[in-house]
Amino acid sequence: MGANSSSIADLANNSYLQRLAGTETISENDPFWNQLLSFSFTTPTNGADTQLLEEATLSISKSLIENNSRTENLQALVKIFLSRTNELKISAECQDQLFIWQAHNALFIIRCLLKVFVSQMPEEELQLNFTYQERAPLSYGAEAEDLLEELICNLVHLIIELPLLDITYSILLESVTTLLVLLSYQLFQKEIIRESLIYKCLMQGQCLQYTSRIVKTLLYNFIRQEKCPPPGSQVLEQTSEGSGLLYGFASGVASGLWTVLTLGGVGNKATQQGDLSSPLANRSLLLLLVLSNLSNTPESPNPYRQSIMSFKNTQDNTAIQTPNSYCFQINFNSLYTALYEQQKSDQATLLLYTLLHQNPNVRTYVLARTDVENLVLPILETLYCVEERNSHHVYMALIILLILTEEDSFNRSVHEVILKNITWYAERVLTEISLGSLLILVVIRTVQYNMTRTRDKYLHTNCLAALANMSAQFRSLHQYAAQRIISLFALLSKKHNKVLEQATQSLRGPVGAEENSPIPDYAQDLNVIEEVIRMMLEIINSCLSTSLHHNPNLVYALLYKRDLFEQFRTHPSFQDVMQNLDMVISFFSFRLEQAGADLSVERVLEVIKQGAVALPKDKLKKFPELKFKYVEEEQPEEFFVPYIWSLAYNSTAELYWNPQQVQLFTMDSG
């Protein structure tokens, strides 16, 4: 069921909400709180429903902002919620749905109000709205409480302690979401936040002791991919008399204040795929990524990043060396399965990158797997569908391949895995191909796409670096992969000639151009294209000099297009690397001439295979091995923080942020 806009529109005039936001102070013991929290609903599942809800209650939220410094009603609501969190675990064990239901409702209201507060005021003012002075009799002179850190710590504690059951799913999801809302101050700042009261609570305060447990829990939420329970299993149903468990409030508020919405139910076509399958897994992963990318300096390291960098496999019998709050163990097999099953999402790709780059235990485990195709294939499909993916997702996928290709064991193993019928590869029917050859095809296709569309040098560099890392281990290249390697070189050669012609023409004077018009920097363009050409020549040379006898299809493609290389033989930038190619072309051309004319493809390949055995190894000049390693930028948060928050902005169905208020990224790039 979707939201009913007419009933939501009445929220601004609801007497209970008006009293909460009004000028009257409401005591913690007032029956009003039981009435306010006794509505039956489940959380909205798409931005449209949430936007309607937020717009309808905006006047209420602004009234509360205006009056709360005097009434402290928000603090009273927070106190009501905090008083219930300690008993939630017992309530879950006893199947006490009523208690969990009301605690969830309290947290939902807090989160909705917080979302407006965060967008409307700085952290210092938010903290003042969470400073509570008890006004009960005999409490005069009592010390004021800071409820902000207490709320944050209680949410963290709730996430790690409360078991995941049908009746606790909603409140666990709400707890994760509320922490994301508190951290969403970043959305409203153009610069990366490096110091923050909320960051301090999470990284230096009472929460520090829970670092490893919250990271482990969020990871397990991602691994488990628990779907949202069916409607009716999380919330209490209204009684036929409209009273009972709803404290007589259902008829007056549950039907008029909130519309009953179905989380993950039918009719919500706008729901994102990730949220639809498992909103808790999706939200937990976003929170984990946000936490691990909070400010990190040598003087004050990010504990969540430290935890991600150091956790181990449950099968690892070596004891954790230094007992601290960062280290823990988790089932790597389950983690690996979740990672490859969820690779279509940006978040899962970003998590995989983070673990491969920062956690040596995970990296070693992944490289030792014998089913590496399960992980690599979805990454290749992401690159293949480049037009449908955002540029950040493509970059992450490429960097993952670059990290994997740094290891020779990976580069050997991908050529040993034979795949059947790759249905998503449309250019050509591939009934049987090695994973290594498919990887080469997809990376080359990405380079060609980049040359004609985005023209991003960084993307070029990563693609060619991955191919270079693999080149010495090329084995039994598929004939189509060999053809595409030479075709890419042909495309680069054509581009080189065009730029060279333009540069020559510019020296003679631009034809038909205005006198003061700027002249393109053809010298720089020529330098870039020559760097790429040289790298392609080095990749081909690396394969020929180390594994020529394993790659007759590459030699065949090289001979078929031998004229392409003629112009580069005497070019000063390529003379050294062209020596081996010249020798290979001359050697095999001579043997083919001796074999006679009008040879079939099969006969040519037979001559090449015989020649590869006869070719003396010492005739090929040895060059240094091509090895490129991924190096993260000095301030990676400048890239990752906007990226992660753009994912939260675009993929979190339950949350809606006003695009006019968001400052961290432009809406076009977001």
Side-chain angles (χ1 to χ4, degrees):
M1 297 165 60
N4 184 317
S5 58
S6 60
S7 61
I8 284 182
D10 297 335
L11 291 178
N13 299 317
N14 183 272
S15 59
Y16 291 93
L17 292 179
Q18 287 181 336
R19 186 181 173 192
L20 174 68
T23 56
E24 174 194 354
T25 297
I26 307 172
S27 165
E28 287 180 55
N29 301 317
D30 196 304
F32 166 83
W33 298 111
N34 270 340
Q35 296 171 335
L36 178 68
L37 302 180
S38 297
F39 55 86
S40 180
F41 79 103
T42 48
T43 313
T45 61
N46 58 58
D49 286 346
T50 308
Q51 182 179 356
L52 285 172
L53 186 62
E54 186 166 311
E55 289 173 351
T57 56
L58 187 59
S59 60
I60 296 289
S61 300
K62 288 186 174 180
S63 294
L64 184 62
I65 290 173
E66 183 179 342
N67 297 321
N68 193 63
S69 59
R70 296 183 297 276
T71 66
E72 296 190 352
N73 286 343
L74 174 62
Q75 291 94 314
L77 175 59
V78 172
K79 287 282 287 184
I80 296 290
F81 170 72
L82 293 175
S83 68
R84 297 174 183 235
T85 55
N86 293 330
E87 299 177 44
L88 281 175
K89 189 174 182 181
I90 297 174
S91 299
E93 293 169 354
C94 299
Q95 294 287 306
D96 186 348
Q97 296 186 50
L98 171 63
F99 197 86
I100 297 170
W101 170 55
Q102 287 202 323
H104 168 268
N105 290 353
L107 185 56
F108 175 77
I109 296 174
I110 291 168
R111 191 257 293 173
C112 289
L113 294 170
L114 265 176
K115 198 155 167 292
V116 180
F117 274 54
V118 166
S119 67
Q120 299 280 335
M121 64 180 66
E123 278 187 321
E124 293 75 14
E125 190 176 342
L126 180 71
Q127 188 175 38
L128 290 176
N129 278 279
F130 275 80
T131 302
Y132 183 66
Q133 182 73 54
E134 189 174 353
R135 299 183 182 184
L138 305 178
S139 64
Y140 181 78
E143 187 176 344
E145 294 180 71
D146 177 10
L147 297 180
L148 183 59
E149 183 170 7
E150 191 175 348
L151 174 63
I152 292 172
C153 287
N154 268 268
L155 291 174
V156 169
H157 193 259
L158 193 154
I159 291 168
I160 62 181
E161 288 290 347
L162 196 61
L164 179 53
L165 309 168
D166 280 0
I167 61 172
T168 62
Y169 192 100
S170 289
I171 194 167
L172 285 169
L173 176 62
E174 199 59 57
S175 300
V176 173
T177 305
T178 304
L179 285 176
L180 275 172
V181 168
L182 278 166
L183 289 161
S184 69
Y185 265 107
Q186 180 62 79
L187 273 174
F188 309 105
Q189 301 293 323
K190 290 184 178 179
E191 303 298 326
I192 304 301
I193 296 175
R194 302 189 186 280
E195 293 186 6
S196 156
L197 293 169
I198 294 168
Y199 291 7
K200 188 175 180 181
C201 288
L202 285 163
M203 298 202 294
Q204 299 175 18
Q206 299 174 39
C207 294
L208 185 62
Q209 62 183 308
Y210 302 126
T211 298
S212 65
R213 295 182 66 193
I214 186 68
V215 171
K216 183 176 183 177
T217 302
L218 294 175
L219 273 175
Y220 266 127
N221 286 347
F222 166 70
I223 289 169
R224 291 173 67 175
Q225 291 291 318
E226 290 285 347
K227 290 182 170 56
C228 186
S233 60
Q234 311 150 276
V235 294
L236 296 169
E237 299 297 325
Q238 182 177 338
T239 62
S240 58
E241 294 80 10
S243 57
L245 292 177
L246 292 183
Y247 295 105
F249 189 56
S251 59
V253 179
S255 58
L257 174 57
W258 306 103
T259 300
V260 180
L261 304 172
T262 305
L263 183 60
V266 296
N268 292 319
K269 294 181 180 179
T271 302
Q272 293 287 336
Q273 185 62 37
D275 262 13
L276 184 63
S277 58
S278 177
L280 180 61
N282 179 55
R283 215 73 50 85
S284 294
L285 181 49
L286 279 171
L287 179 59
L288 179 61
L289 292 171
V290 169
L291 289 174
S292 64
N293 282 277
L294 297 180
S295 57
N296 184 63
T297 63
E299 301 78 28
S300 180
N302 179 332
Y304 303 98
R305 183 175 299 186
Q306 296 290 314
S307 188
I308 281 179
M309 291 170 63
S310 59
F311 72 82
K312 295 185 175 184
N313 191 359
T314 50
Q315 305 300 314
D316 188 346
N317 296 322
T318 59
I320 295 174
Q321 299 294 325
T322 312
N324 59 49
S325 60
Y326 303 154
C327 300
F328 64 91
Q329 291 181 297
I330 202 168
N331 187 309
F332 277 16
N333 183 58
S334 300
L335 176 61
Y336 181 81
T337 302
L339 283 169
Y340 73 69
E341 287 181 347
Q342 302 301 320
Q343 269 310 296
K344 287 188 177 180
S345 78
D346 287 67
Q347 296 95 306
T349 301
L350 186 50
L351 176 63
L352 176 59
Y353 158 79
T354 301
L355 296 178
L356 287 176
H357 178 56
Q358 296 182 358
N359 190 314
N361 304 315
V362 173
R363 180 170 173 166
T364 300
Y365 177 85
V366 168
L367 289 167
R369 292 284 300 206
T370 57
D371 61 345
V372 70
E373 67 274 13
N374 287 335
L375 188 66
V376 175
L377 277 172
I379 295 171
L380 295 182
E381 189 173 357
T382 294
L383 291 175
Y384 185 81
C385 302
V386 60
E387 294 97 335
E388 302 169 15
R389 302 285 191 258
N390 68 69
S391 60
H392 290 349
H393 197 181
V394 172
Y395 282 141
M396 287 295 97
L398 275 175
I399 292 171
I400 288 169
L401 288 184
L402 179 56
I403 291 172
L404 292 174
T405 60
E406 290 172 13
E407 299 294 330
D408 287 343
S409 59
F410 172 84
N411 297 330
R412 286 191 295 269
S413 66
V414 290
H415 292 289
E416 297 167 359
V417 177
I418 304 302
L419 306 169
K420 306 277 189 181
N421 300 317
I422 309 301
T423 54
W424 47 261
Y425 195 93
E427 275 83 350
R428 180 165 173 159
V429 177
L430 300 175
T431 54
E432 186 173 293
I433 189 171
S434 72
L435 178 61
S437 289
L438 181 64
L439 195 159
I440 293 165
L441 283 174
V442 173
V443 171
I444 286 175
R445 184 178 183 274
T446 307
V447 173
Q448 291 177 322
Y449 175 85
N450 185 53
M451 286 177 65
T452 56
R453 305 284 184 88
T454 55
R455 300 181 181 180
D456 188 319
K457 184 181 177 182
Y458 181 73
L459 191 143
H460 262 10
T461 302
N462 280 291
C463 286
L464 295 176
L467 290 177
N469 285 346
M470 294 177 65
S471 59
Q473 310 292 335
F474 284 172
R475 294 290 186 276
S476 304
L477 289 183
H478 191 280
Q479 66 179 67
Y480 186 53
Q483 289 171 15
R484 299 310 296 164
I485 291 173
I486 304 304
S487 294
L488 176 57
F489 186 83
L491 184 63
L492 292 167
S493 177
K494 183 178 178 181
K495 190 173 181 66
H496 178 269
N497 293 339
K498 182 179 178 181
V499 174
L500 187 60
E501 183 181 339
Q502 290 171 331
T504 305
Q505 180 64 43
S506 69
L507 294 175
R508 295 173 186 160
V511 178
E514 295 182 11
E515 186 175 341
N516 296 323
S517 61
I519 300 174
D521 190 353
Y522 291 116
Q524 183 179 356
D525 291 347
L526 200 60
N527 183 56
V528 170
I529 194 68
E530 287 183 356
E531 284 180 7
V532 177
I533 287 174
R534 179 173 178 86
M535 200 162 178
M536 278 302 300
L537 288 171
E538 288 178 342
I539 289 168
I540 297 170
N541 179 72
S542 173
C543 175
L544 295 178
S545 60
T546 57
S547 54
L548 181 147
H549 57 293
H550 289 299
N551 293 290
N553 285 326
L554 182 61
V555 177
Y556 183 99
L558 189 67
L559 293 171
Y560 190 75
K561 293 285 188 179
R562 72 190 79 175
D563 294 343
L564 280 175
F565 301 90
E566 192 65 33
Q567 63 175 310
F568 300 107
R569 292 177 62 191
T570 57
H571 194 292
S573 299
F574 311 122
Q575 276 183 315
D576 58 337
V577 76
M578 278 297 300
Q579 288 180 29
N580 283 346
L581 272 71
D582 263 347
M583 200 279 295
V584 169
I585 290 172
S586 299
F587 177 83
F588 285 99
S589 295
F590 178 73
R591 293 186 71 91
L592 287 173
E593 287 174 9
Q594 287 186 318
D598 299 325
L599 301 177
S600 66
V601 173
E602 292 75 14
R603 176 58 182 148
V604 171
L605 285 171
E606 185 182 339
V607 171
I608 290 172
K609 290 175 183 177
Q610 293 170 352
V613 176
L615 178 66
K617 302 293 184 187
D618 56 1
K619 280 198 173 186
L620 294 175
K621 181 181 177 182
K622 295 297 181 185
F623 286 86
E625 186 180 7
L626 295 177
K627 273 298 172 188
F628 293 88
K629 286 191 174 291
Y630 169 70
V631 179
E632 196 171 67
E633 295 181 11
E634 289 186 7
Q635 293 185 311
E637 63 274 7
E638 297 289 340
F639 170 83
F640 289 109
V641 170
Y643 180 26
I644 293 165
W645 279 109
S646 74
L647 297 178
Y649 178 87
N650 287 311
S651 69
T652 312
E654 186 182 333
L655 296 177
Y656 161 80
W657 282 286
N658 188 337
Q660 296 179 343
Q661 294 178 318
V662 172
Q663 298 291 316
L664 182 60
F665 44 80
T666 64
M667 298 299 51
D668 289 337
S669 64

